[in-house]
Amino acid sequence: MDELLSKTKNSQKELLLLNDAERNKCLCAIKRGLLDNIDSILKANEKDVKKAKENNISPVMVDRLLLTTERIKAIASSIDSIVALPSPINLVEEEIVRPNGLIIQKVRVPFGVICAIFESRPNVVVDIASLCIKSGNACVLKGGKEALETNKELVRIIKESIAPFVCSDIVLLIESTSRETTKELITKKEYIDLLIPRGSKGLISFVCENASIPFIETGAGNCHLYIDKDASLEKALSIAINAKYQRPSVCNAIETILVHESVASSFLPMLYKEFSSLHIEMRGCPKTRKIIPVFEATEEDYYKEYNDYIVALKVVASLDEAIAHINHYSTKHSEAIVSENKEAFEKFFTFVDSSCLYLNASTRFTDGGEFGFGAEIGISTSKMHARGPMGLKEITTYKYKICGNGQIRK
């Protein structure tokens, strides 16, 4: 591992020699490579999907893993939006001229080597590699065992595509999927500058407990939707369906719906009818179960990121109770309020402690592409320099450049 990481660390210097146009040529080559190799990608993905089904992985998680021709074309096309973005590298964010004549510039620079540990979404490989190349970072990728064959094929294509422009060692896939390899990898601070784990709560906890590299927590998404007493119930129902049903396996899907008691008797039957027709399993508190016939929700349900067609329901007596519930159980990812009351949603925005907050809109918009970042390297639930979807700027840091003319300090 040390030999592989050393090559990646050293090759990052080559990226620093490229200008933005040259880095964009790398990205355009990756796009062409993906489109020219659709058949080989599909064959590799077919192996992963077959194995996943044999291991009885849930259908929604298989869908998360699955690539089709259209999905590969969409991944390739997403690179165009990254190419179109202005480069953050060497951007002068601030300039100070001191009384003694010193000129101090705060300049944006790459981190160096970014390591991303992720689970079973193959598009992540292309997103991370593209964002890192555009921002002058080398990347180390460690995906889950479910997508190993697909990841290997995607990285092969990426490396072959960029080889005419830059050393292909700037992109490294760690093929071992063992927990022991992960534990070793996250201690290699001499080679890796920033660690980004994106995936389950278990993965995030493992990194928190074992990493010696600076890291940003991302991924785990126990997201909430709160239906206020002054909500439009039609909006609320539409948002609930979208946020839970459209793609339940992703981190920005909702897992819990909180309903103010004054609208519960009107809203919950509407929700029950629609969710039942969509085969979404509902688990509710005692107050919920007096209104609609659902399974009993346990304490564990309110902590749960289901990644499935399951939702927890709770009737609350007030906005304050909803805020307290969210802050206690949430993973600090994305939360939404449906309300026409300005005082209510401003209070929600002020006191809910999560990275992305929505008014009258689905949490499914927490996404780098939807935010105009082209793609994302992860969704930060930390309170560090990056919070929410992490695009180009969030995977750079800065240095101060100080220019003088012989000044000395007295």
Side-chain angles (χ1 to χ4, degrees):
M1 184 182 288
D2 283 4
E3 183 179 351
L4 291 171
L5 293 174
S6 178
K7 285 181 179 179
T8 300
K9 179 78 171 177
N10 290 331
S11 67
Q12 189 264 337
K13 297 170 186 173
E14 291 196 21
L15 269 176
L16 298 177
L17 299 175
L18 302 184
N19 58 35
D20 189 45
E22 291 167 330
R23 289 192 290 269
N24 283 340
K25 286 181 180 178
C26 292
L27 299 186
C28 292
I30 293 171
K31 178 185 176 180
R32 287 194 300 273
L34 293 172
L35 296 175
D36 290 343
N37 288 274
I38 288 176
D39 288 344
S40 67
I41 297 170
L42 290 175
K43 286 178 183 177
N45 186 247
E46 190 177 313
K47 295 177 185 177
D48 288 327
V49 170
K50 181 181 178 183
K51 189 177 292 185
K53 290 179 178 177
E54 289 171 352
N55 292 332
N56 295 316
I57 291 178
S58 71
V60 292
M61 296 306 284
V62 171
D63 179 68
R64 186 174 183 170
L65 171 64
L66 177 68
L67 288 179
T68 64
T69 297
E70 289 308 310
R71 286 185 179 183
I72 295 170
K73 288 180 179 178
I75 292 168
S77 295
S78 70
I79 295 175
D80 290 335
S81 59
I82 300 175
V83 169
L85 292 171
S87 171
I89 302 304
N90 294 322
L91 176 68
V92 178
E93 293 198 330
E94 188 177 354
E95 182 173 287
I96 303 166
V97 179
R98 299 295 297 148
N100 62 3
L102 283 178
I103 301 172
I104 303 171
Q105 290 184 330
K106 183 179 180 181
V107 181
R108 195 142 290 277
V109 296
F111 267 99
V113 178
I114 294 176
C115 175
I117 304 174
F118 51 95
E119 294 179 338
S120 60
R121 292 177 65 191
N123 64 293
V124 170
V125 170
V126 178
D127 288 349
I128 293 174
S130 299
L131 286 167
C132 283
I133 290 169
K134 176 79 175 184
S135 58
N137 293 291
C139 63
V140 177
L141 305 167
K142 187 178 186 301
K145 62 181 182 295
E146 296 85 2
L148 179 59
E149 296 302 321
T150 310
N151 292 344
K152 285 163 62 176
E153 181 61 13
L154 290 172
V155 170
R156 180 193 70 78
I157 293 165
I158 291 169
K159 291 170 80 73
E160 287 186 1
S161 299
I162 64 176
F165 309 99
V166 70
C167 177
S168 63
D169 289 333
I170 62 167
V171 178
L172 171 64
L173 176 68
I174 303 296
E175 295 186 12
S176 169
T177 59
S178 71
R179 181 62 66 97
E180 291 73 25
T181 301
T182 302
K183 191 170 184 178
E184 179 186 4
L185 179 64
I186 63 180
T187 64
K188 297 295 184 180
K189 59 183 179 182
E190 64 269 42
Y191 303 115
I192 298 168
D193 298 288
L194 180 66
L195 178 63
I196 301 175
R198 49 181 291 176
S200 68
K201 190 175 181 180
L203 171 63
I204 305 301
S205 297
F206 182 80
V207 169
C208 290
E209 292 166 8
N210 295 282
S212 56
I213 303 168
F215 64 89
I216 296 174
E217 293 183 47
T218 74
N222 182 12
C223 304
H224 295 75
L225 174 64
Y226 167 59
I227 315 304
D228 186 47
K229 64 182 179 66
D230 295 312
S232 160
L233 300 190
E234 290 74 22
K235 284 182 190 175
L237 185 61
S238 174
I239 290 167
I241 293 169
N242 178 260
K244 179 73 258 184
Y245 182 74
Q246 188 204 33
R247 201 165 185 193
S249 64
V250 293
C251 59
N252 56 23
I254 57 169
E255 308 293 10
T256 297
I257 300 175
L258 305 172
V259 184
H260 194 284
E261 62 182 10
S262 66
V263 295
S265 60
S266 300
F267 180 73
L268 286 174
M270 296 166 57
L271 185 74
Y272 181 79
K273 179 183 177 182
E274 293 297 328
F275 274 22
S276 295
S277 70
L278 297 170
H279 305 289
I280 297 171
E281 180 181 319
M282 290 162 276
R283 303 174 185 178
C285 67
K287 289 182 180 179
T288 300
R289 298 180 74 215
K290 287 181 180 179
I291 302 171
I292 53 176
V294 298
F295 294 103
E296 182 179 358
T298 65
E299 178 79 357
E300 183 182 354
D301 282 310
Y302 294 120
Y303 284 110
K304 188 81 171 175
E305 183 183 16
Y306 296 112
N307 294 129
D308 206 341
Y309 294 106
I310 306 171
V311 68
L313 304 169
K314 184 177 175 63
V315 175
V316 295
S318 65
L319 171 61
D320 288 339
E321 184 182 348
I323 291 171
H325 180 101
I326 293 170
N327 286 338
H328 180 76
Y329 293 99
S330 172
T331 52
K332 315 303 181 187
H333 192 294
S334 300
E335 329 293 349
I337 178 175
V338 182
S339 181
E340 304 301 319
N341 186 314
K342 186 173 185 290
E343 183 178 337
F345 64 71
E346 286 185 346
K347 186 173 187 178
F348 185 89
F349 281 0
T350 299
F351 292 105
V352 173
D353 188 25
S354 295
S355 64
C356 295
L357 303 177
Y358 290 85
L359 167 66
N360 297 332
S362 171
T363 56
R364 288 283 289 113
F365 288 104
T366 302
D367 176 272
E370 295 293 336
F371 276 33
F373 300 163
E376 73 196 28
I377 202 166
I379 295 171
S380 171
T381 56
S382 302
K383 294 184 181 179
M384 305 301 288
H385 80 285
R387 202 174 189 195
M390 297 173 61
L392 290 173
K393 186 175 181 181
E394 286 74 26
I395 54 173
T396 60
T397 182
Y398 56 85
K399 62 175 65 170
Y400 286 99
K401 296 181 180 180
I402 303 96
C403 297
N405 188 31
Q407 289 90 336
I408 59 173
R409 184 169 178 175
K410 298 178 182 179

